[in-house]
Amino acid sequence: MALYKQWQNSETSKAAIWKIEEPESFFTEQTGLISDKKFETRRLEHLAGRFLLKYILPNFQLNKIQVSPLGKPFVAEEKIFFSISHSFPFVGVTIDTAKETGIDVQTLEPKILRLQHKFLSPIEQEICGNDSALITLAWAAKEAAFKKYGLGAVDFIKHMPITQMDINDREAELTMEFAREIPSTIIHLQGGLETDFAWSVTR
């Protein structure tokens, strides 16, 4: 078992992060599912995400998961909202019984330094201070918000400016203005910096 982290995100939501160390057969046996993904890593991520949903909510009916035309997974006719993210070997999930939710995990890669201008404004780049871990955290926060709303066609700089990022002992609290729709919405996110990856989840 490789549960990395599990926590209560709010009164109605919980989240968990798993480090994949098991063979594909483990997740197939635990979920009763077979992934049709072409590559083994993708199959592991797909199955591990479903496994983790059921791990933190045992009565979760995996066979009822559908995917919207914009790629957002959902369960029809049930008041349960969830989000899945994977960046091998890490998988994160969050489940909320009251509102839409989003989570993202991103392994730390030095190359993100030269890509930051594609998703961070000059002000956001200044907030991150050219620190690859903070840049990755900012990227994870924007991905989590993107997954929460599932609207597609979002400009990560124009529509999702991060206005505040507070780090305390590698735990983070972030504030973002989601301006994809009018009026804009203020989003609060939780996040963290781990040794190998960063993560963020909507409040």
Side-chain angles (χ1 to χ4, degrees):
M1 304 293 277
L3 182 66
Y4 189 95
K5 180 183 180 72
Q6 183 176 1
W7 70 100
Q8 192 76 27
N9 191 37
S10 72
E11 290 184 1
T12 60
S13 70
K14 56 181 67 176
I17 296 173
W18 188 275
K19 183 178 182 181
I20 300 173
E21 296 177 339
E22 300 78 8
E24 184 177 340
S25 59
F26 169 84
F27 297 109
T28 297
E29 291 169 4
Q30 293 293 318
T31 62
L33 302 175
I34 296 176
S35 175
D36 61 358
K37 305 299 181 184
K38 182 177 180 180
F39 299 104
E40 181 183 11
T41 297
R42 295 292 181 237
R43 293 197 302 272
L44 280 167
E45 291 175 333
H46 177 83
L47 292 169
R50 268 65 178 170
F51 162 78
L52 193 51
L53 285 173
K54 202 165 183 64
Y55 183 88
I56 65 173
L57 188 64
N59 64 350
F60 197 108
Q61 298 185 58
L62 299 176
N63 61 337
K64 291 190 174 183
I65 294 177
Q66 301 178 48
V67 180
S68 76
L70 293 175
K72 182 178 175 64
F74 67 98
V75 175
E77 300 177 359
E78 288 192 32
K79 195 170 180 59
I80 184 168
F81 308 95
F82 66 96
S83 178
I84 306 171
S85 177
H86 37 72
S87 186
F88 195 83
F90 300 100
V91 176
V93 304
T94 181
I95 298 174
D96 199 306
T97 56
K99 61 185 184 300
E100 292 285 0
T101 185
I103 191 171
D104 194 66
V105 295
Q106 295 287 337
T107 52
L108 301 180
E109 299 285 351
K111 66 181 180 181
I112 202 168
L113 283 167
R114 65 175 185 269
L115 301 174
Q116 60 179 311
H117 68 281
K118 294 186 176 183
F119 58 90
L120 295 180
S121 68
I123 292 175
E124 291 171 311
Q125 292 179 50
E126 186 176 342
I127 290 174
C128 293
N130 222 37
D131 183 314
S132 60
L134 293 182
I135 295 167
T136 305
L137 173 62
W139 171 254
K142 294 196 176 198
E143 282 284 349
F146 175 79
K147 292 175 182 178
K148 173 184 172 76
Y149 286 94
L151 298 174
V154 172
D155 184 319
F156 274 30
I157 295 177
K158 179 181 178 181
H159 294 145
M160 308 172 75
I162 293 171
T163 56
Q164 190 171 0
M165 182 188 295
D166 297 322
I167 312 292
N168 182 17
D169 194 25
R170 302 188 71 78
E171 294 286 320
E173 295 289 338
L174 302 97
T175 304
M176 177 190 301
E177 180 184 5
F178 190 81
R180 170 64 170 74
E181 295 185 316
I182 297 174
S184 61
T185 303
I186 300 300
I187 303 177
H188 299 286
L189 304 103
Q190 179 187 14
L193 298 170
E194 311 296 337
T195 303
D196 301 312
F197 68 99
W199 60 270
S200 186
V201 60
T202 57
R203 288 292 200 184

